Amino acid sequence: MPEYQEPAAAATPGIYPDDDLLEFVDGPEGNADGGSSSTLMPWRVLIVDDDADVHKATELAMQGLLIEGRPLSFLHASSAAEARELMSREHDLAVVLLDVVMESENAGLQLVRQIREDLQQHAVRIVLRTGQPGYAPEIETVQAYDINDYKTKSELTRTRLYTVLTAAIRSYKQICALEINRKGLELIVEASTELSRLRGLHRFAEGVVTQLCALLGVLPEGLICAQAGGEGPGDLCESRVIAAAGQYGSLINSPLADVQVTHVRERLTQCLRERRHLFDEHHGTCLYFGLSGERAMAAMVDTGRELSSMELQLLRAFCTNIAVGFENVLLYSRLLDQAYQDPLLHLPNRVRFIELLDQNLRDPSGVTLALIDLDDFAGVNDAFGHSFGDLVLRAVAQRLGECLGFNTAMARVSADSFGLIGPDTLVNSERIRSAFTAPFAVAESCRRSAATTGLVRLTDSNARGSELLLDAQIALKRAKQQHRGAAQYFSPEMGTDARERFKLLKGLRAGFEENRLFVVYQPQVDLASQRTLGAEALLRWRTADGTFVPPDQFIPLAEQSGLIISIGEFVLRTACHQLKRMEDLGHQDFRMCVNISLAQFRHPCFIATLERALQDSGINPRNLELEITESMAMDDGELVRQLLAEIKRSGASVAIDDFGTGFSSLSQLRQLEVGRLKIDRAFVREAQNSSAGLTIAHMVINLGRGLGLTVIAEGVETEEQRQQLLALGCHEGQGWLFAKPMAADLLETWMQEQNRAQH
């Protein structure tokens, strides 16, 4: 603090006259506060004046007085330059009593500008004093530089000086309170912004530790957050320390009851039980965060001092704001659980399992993925109900966990499938099979269960994440083709085949959308006269590069993918319109045969689709024949009979294709409303090559004739086959002997030539 010289014995004339000094001895009302003022933080006042008597007189005038309950402490500077240097170090001055004229006529006003603009001290109050009234500052200067008051030295009696300082200090106090509040609110907003980026309860609680200590201006030391468990905040048996700092860092994840520091445990317990904040300078501040669902959090910090009223207000605002943050974090945690965890078994779900797969691919050596599918689980649900099925799943998950240990990650990847990933020594076909050897205890009963498994050694696949799981699915499908309870390891060749099929299916979708699928027609003839009776509509696919994809490759893919519904309707409508064209050309009895897939046949809209095709094309319905396979005809007899009856009502007829390749029930076959049996080409070849084949073909033809049905053979390629089929009693034929499949325009030309030849 700059020193100043002792003032002369006599005060400067005109400043603080003797009557004021006598009044000072009696003391104004402002000195009436009880208690010692020596322990209170004083208001710091800087006197800037080149007259040493003014310094002394001001101190004497204010000696012993309290303003707003606190004493005054004076600092001194004899020039504007000295005051500037002092204020660059001191930042908690309440008032500056500033002489306008010192080393220069405007030194005081220049110092005011420096205080406000250079030093950026906006809270300190400035009172200008001058012994020369002619040097009063302009009104604009007072407004521009936030000057609190302006007085001539002759005006400043002791009472008036006290009044001026009281007004200035009150103003300073309000500005400081507003600034503290502003900074506190900024800290709360910053804390909320920072904490909003944190995910997970533990990380959020750690963030609360840091932000709360910053708000109170203390080191992150001695803070604990605890979550109330049990039925409510009063039930603390399950409360745990979820975040701690400093000397309490070792208590993280400990039960609150195990905290050995008595006052910490008791304060947190009391805070959670009473559901309120606790403020105590000796035992620490404990904050309560009330959450929904009877949950609560408590945080305690050792401040080592009594908190001000402003700090208490900020803490309450902080708690209100952060309680919302805790709610959001808990909600986020629940959403994460739902996104990454199976709610029934509390295992990772498919999404989380794929993440685990990617993590293991960093070091795939010696690691195996297994996909376990419970055999006939849908039947268990249908027979015993879903609650029983849930118990089966729990029992299987528990058994797998016991057999495979902690070094294996397990997930539920679908309704009845489990995913495993772990070392080859644990995740292998033998160990998994052994887990299903003993019966499972389910609902006080023992039940045996089997599972089919697809396995992938991570080093055998170049796939990642979901594609790796697809490889396991490919191996699982191969295992299911073997037998119940089988296991199959994935090989790169399997992946190549599967990806080729996927590529083919993708091309099929594109080809259908781009009209590269088209219909050709193969004539059907009477075997005896070789007169053309009709034609079968056959689907063909020509790719963009002009190559053809065989039907036995893309038709099964279309059926598996469901695309056959749209493709089948396209074939049906195209064939119907071509049939109408044939009728218009004079071929009134021309029969058009269209293959119907199982997916089409069982589709709820099939009959409606058929009726629309008949109506839109305007054909004679009796000229349309729908072909279904023998296996379709034998499946779900009641439904088949109902559909066949509806087809008959529409006017169309039905033929059974590939007859003899399935396992027909003769009694059921007799009840079906069909008009034609179509013998598979395999029987035509066998009849020519062996006596056994000939016997079977004869039996099939006799069966059809015995049921009063017309029998047609496909795949007739030679005259010898035609003669043999005639001898066996077959009525009709179809094959390259008569004509290859042809486009619609060629069919029309071919029919005209056939008619001319017959006439």
Side-chain angles (χ1 to χ4, degrees):
M1 181 185 300
E3 296 181 357
Y4 68 96
Q5 298 178 355
E6 286 291 325
T12 302
I15 300 179
Y16 313 124
D18 293 342
D19 59 339
D20 285 333
L21 291 175
L22 290 175
E23 287 183 29
F24 171 73
V25 173
D26 293 335
E29 294 178 2
N31 194 29
D33 291 31
S36 172
S37 65
S38 61
T39 59
L40 299 175
M41 293 291 293
W43 301 111
R44 306 181 74 201
V45 179
L46 173 63
I47 303 172
V48 185
D49 203 299
D50 57 359
D51 188 341
D53 290 341
V54 172
H55 290 265
K56 188 65 175 180
T58 303
E59 279 206 79
L60 289 172
M62 296 294 102
Q63 186 175 3
L65 292 178
L66 298 179
I67 296 178
E68 294 292 306
R70 291 163 59 180
L72 300 174
S73 172
F74 292 95
L75 290 80
H76 303 274
S78 59
S79 67
E82 189 177 342
R84 174 183 168 81
E85 195 277 331
L86 183 148
M87 292 189 72
S88 66
R89 304 190 312 268
E90 306 289 340
H91 301 285
D92 59 347
L93 298 175
V95 183
V96 176
L97 294 174
L98 176 61
D99 189 12
V100 175
V101 180
M102 289 178 287
E103 60 261 49
S104 64
E105 292 181 354
N106 62 349
L109 294 180
Q110 288 180 355
L111 179 60
V112 172
R113 293 187 183 94
Q114 292 169 349
I115 292 172
R116 298 306 190 204
E117 295 179 354
D118 299 341
L119 300 178
Q120 291 292 307
Q121 294 192 22
H122 301 290
V124 62
R125 300 293 86 204
I126 299 176
V127 177
L128 295 181
R129 300 192 296 187
T130 182
Q132 305 177 44
Y135 287 96
E138 299 290 337
I139 293 176
E140 292 80 2
T141 304
V142 174
Q143 293 174 341
Y145 294 103
D146 190 18
I147 296 172
N148 212 61
D149 207 345
Y150 172 75
K151 298 290 183 183
T152 62
K153 294 179 181 179
S154 60
E155 290 181 277
L156 286 177
T157 63
R158 191 252 326 151
T159 303
R160 289 177 180 174
L161 180 59
Y162 178 81
T163 303
V164 168
L165 284 175
T166 299
I169 287 173
R170 284 175 176 169
S171 177
Y172 171 76
K173 183 180 177 182
Q174 291 173 354
I175 291 173
C176 288
L178 290 173
E179 182 65 13
I180 292 172
N181 193 36
R182 182 187 66 80
K183 289 183 178 179
L185 291 175
E186 283 183 357
L187 279 173
I188 291 174
V189 171
E190 290 174 4
S192 300
T193 303
E194 186 68 25
L195 291 170
S196 67
R197 301 189 184 101
L198 300 178
R199 300 303 184 200
L201 185 59
H202 287 276
R203 289 194 63 200
F204 187 85
E206 290 171 0
V208 171
V209 170
T210 304
Q211 300 296 341
L212 182 54
C213 289
L215 183 66
L216 294 175
V218 298
L219 293 173
E221 175 79 24
L223 181 74
I224 294 179
C225 296
Q227 181 180 19
E231 296 299 323
D235 185 356
L236 303 175
C237 60
E238 295 299 327
S239 296
R240 304 187 70 84
V241 176
I242 59 173
Q247 60 180 313
Y248 302 116
S250 62
L251 299 176
I252 295 177
N253 293 325
S254 300
L256 182 56
D258 291 351
V259 174
Q260 298 300 310
V261 185
T262 304
H263 78 275
V264 171
R265 183 180 65 253
E266 291 178 348
R267 293 287 284 178
L268 287 169
T269 301
Q270 181 184 357
C271 180
L272 290 169
R273 183 177 61 248
E274 297 179 3
R275 306 186 186 189
R276 65 183 181 89
H277 306 310
L278 301 175
F279 301 105
D280 190 307
E281 61 180 301
H282 301 296
H283 297 98
T285 297
C286 204
L287 304 178
Y288 175 78
F289 302 93
L291 309 177
S292 61
E294 294 297 320
R295 294 166 302 178
M297 301 283 181
M300 199 189 85
V301 59
D302 291 330
T303 55
R305 59 178 172 82
E306 184 180 1
L307 300 180
S308 67
S309 59
M310 182 61 64
E311 287 176 320
L312 294 177
Q313 291 179 20
L314 290 174
L315 284 179
R316 290 187 178 95
F318 179 84
C319 291
T320 301
N321 204 40
I322 298 307
V324 176
F326 269 123
E327 289 283 7
N328 290 338
V329 168
L330 291 173
L331 175 60
Y332 180 78
S333 297
R334 288 197 298 272
L335 291 175
L336 280 182
D337 286 343
Q338 293 179 5
Y340 293 101
Q341 189 177 72
D342 178 71
L344 174 65
L345 304 180
H346 303 293
L347 292 173
N349 61 10
R350 183 186 186 91
V351 175
R352 176 57 181 152
F353 190 61
I354 290 172
E355 291 183 351
L356 293 173
L357 292 178
D358 282 332
Q359 292 173 12
N360 279 274
L361 283 172
R362 298 169 188 167
D363 185 14
S365 179
V367 179
T368 294
L369 159 68
L371 187 60
I372 303 173
D373 185 80
L374 300 184
D375 295 331
D376 196 31
F377 183 74
V380 172
N381 277 335
D382 292 342
F384 301 100
H386 289 278
S387 297
F388 185 84
D390 292 346
L391 294 176
V392 171
L393 290 172
R394 289 193 179 100
V396 171
Q398 182 178 353
R399 176 78 60 79
L400 288 172
E402 293 170 352
C403 291
L404 300 171
F406 294 106
N407 291 329
T408 300
M410 178 166 55
R412 185 185 183 193
V413 296
S414 68
D416 58 353
S417 297
F418 292 89
L420 301 174
I421 186 166
D424 298 344
T425 54
L426 295 175
V427 181
N428 54 64
S429 58
E430 293 78 14
R431 200 175 187 99
I432 293 171
R433 188 179 296 111
S434 67
F436 291 86
T437 301
F440 293 89
V442 181
E444 299 181 353
S445 64
C446 290
R447 175 181 176 81
R448 291 193 175 275
S449 182
T452 304
T453 308
L455 301 104
V456 183
R457 296 183 180 92
L458 267 55
T459 52
D460 289 345
S461 174
N462 295 321
R464 300 191 64 85
S466 59
E467 291 185 355
L468 190 59
L469 199 57
L470 178 60
D471 287 346
Q473 186 70 47
I474 293 170
L476 177 64
K477 187 173 181 180
R478 289 289 182 93
K480 287 185 174 182
Q481 292 172 358
Q482 298 175 23
H483 58 81
R484 179 187 177 96
Q488 175 69 56
Y489 277 88
F490 173 82
S491 67
E493 293 75 17
M494 291 182 192
T496 301
D497 292 344
R499 285 169 177 79
E500 285 298 323
R501 288 197 301 273
F502 177 76
K503 183 179 178 181
L504 189 65
L505 176 59
K506 185 177 179 181
L508 178 60
R509 291 183 185 277
F512 181 56
E513 293 171 358
E514 296 167 9
N515 300 317
R516 290 200 292 270
L517 270 66
F518 59 96
V519 179
V520 295
Y521 306 90
Q522 185 171 33
Q524 296 175 338
V525 303
D526 179 82
L527 284 178
S529 65
Q530 299 192 49
R531 182 175 63 87
T532 303
L533 303 173
E536 179 182 6
L538 301 170
L539 182 64
R540 295 292 182 265
W541 174 21
R542 183 192 295 113
T543 61
D545 61 5
T547 59
F548 285 88
V549 181
D552 59 358
Q553 288 187 20
F554 72 82
I555 293 295
L557 283 178
E559 291 176 340
Q560 293 168 13
S561 66
L563 189 60
I564 195 65
I565 302 298
S566 300
I567 292 178
E569 182 176 358
F570 159 74
V571 174
L572 176 62
R573 296 181 68 84
T574 302
C576 285
H577 283 285
Q578 182 59 38
L579 176 58
K580 177 61 175 174
R581 170 81 175 161
M582 301 303 290
E583 291 175 352
D584 292 343
L585 290 174
H587 310 295
Q588 296 299 320
D589 295 326
F590 191 89
R591 181 180 70 225
M592 182 67 73
C593 302
V594 180
N595 289 283
I596 303 298
S597 72
L598 176 62
Q600 281 179 278
F601 193 61
R602 297 180 67 90
H603 195 278
C605 297
F606 172 66
I607 297 300
T609 300
L610 172 63
E611 291 174 345
R612 282 197 306 272
L614 293 173
Q615 182 177 0
D616 293 346
S617 62
I619 63 171
N620 184 347
R622 68 181 181 84
N623 288 335
L624 178 65
E625 183 175 81
L626 305 180
E627 293 185 4
I628 63 174
T629 64
E630 180 183 3
S631 58
M632 289 167 56
M634 295 300 106
D635 181 53
D636 195 350
E638 183 61 35
L639 175 63
V640 170
R641 284 192 292 272
Q642 178 184 342
L643 288 172
L644 293 180
E646 294 187 39
I647 292 172
K648 184 177 181 180
R649 281 195 291 272
S650 72
S653 60
V654 176
I656 295 181
D657 194 10
D658 298 336
F659 185 73
T661 60
F663 300 93
S664 299
S665 166
L666 296 180
S667 61
Q668 186 173 342
L669 182 63
R670 184 173 52 83
Q671 300 175 29
L672 298 180
E673 298 187 32
V674 297
R676 200 177 313 274
L677 293 183
K678 193 170 189 181
I679 302 175
D680 187 71
R681 66 180 65 244
F683 291 113
V684 176
R685 289 195 298 270
E686 288 296 322
Q688 189 177 12
N689 296 331
S690 68
S691 58
L694 181 63
T695 301
I696 294 174
H698 193 192
M699 290 174 58
V700 171
I701 293 171
N702 283 341
L703 176 61
R705 294 179 67 92
L707 292 172
L709 304 177
T710 301
V711 180
I712 179 172
E714 63 178 351
V716 182
E717 298 179 356
T718 66
E719 177 63 23
E720 183 182 357
Q721 289 175 335
R722 183 180 79 88
Q723 293 295 339
Q724 189 177 50
L725 289 169
L726 272 174
L728 293 174
C730 186
H731 303 100
E732 301 173 358
Q734 171 184 342
W736 282 23
L737 175 63
F738 312 111
K740 295 181 180 181
M742 60 190 76
D745 56 342
L746 295 178
L747 174 66
E748 295 171 8
T749 302
W750 190 83
M751 283 297 298
Q752 291 175 357
E753 293 175 352
Q754 292 295 308
N755 287 343
R756 284 197 297 268
Q758 291 174 4
H759 292 87

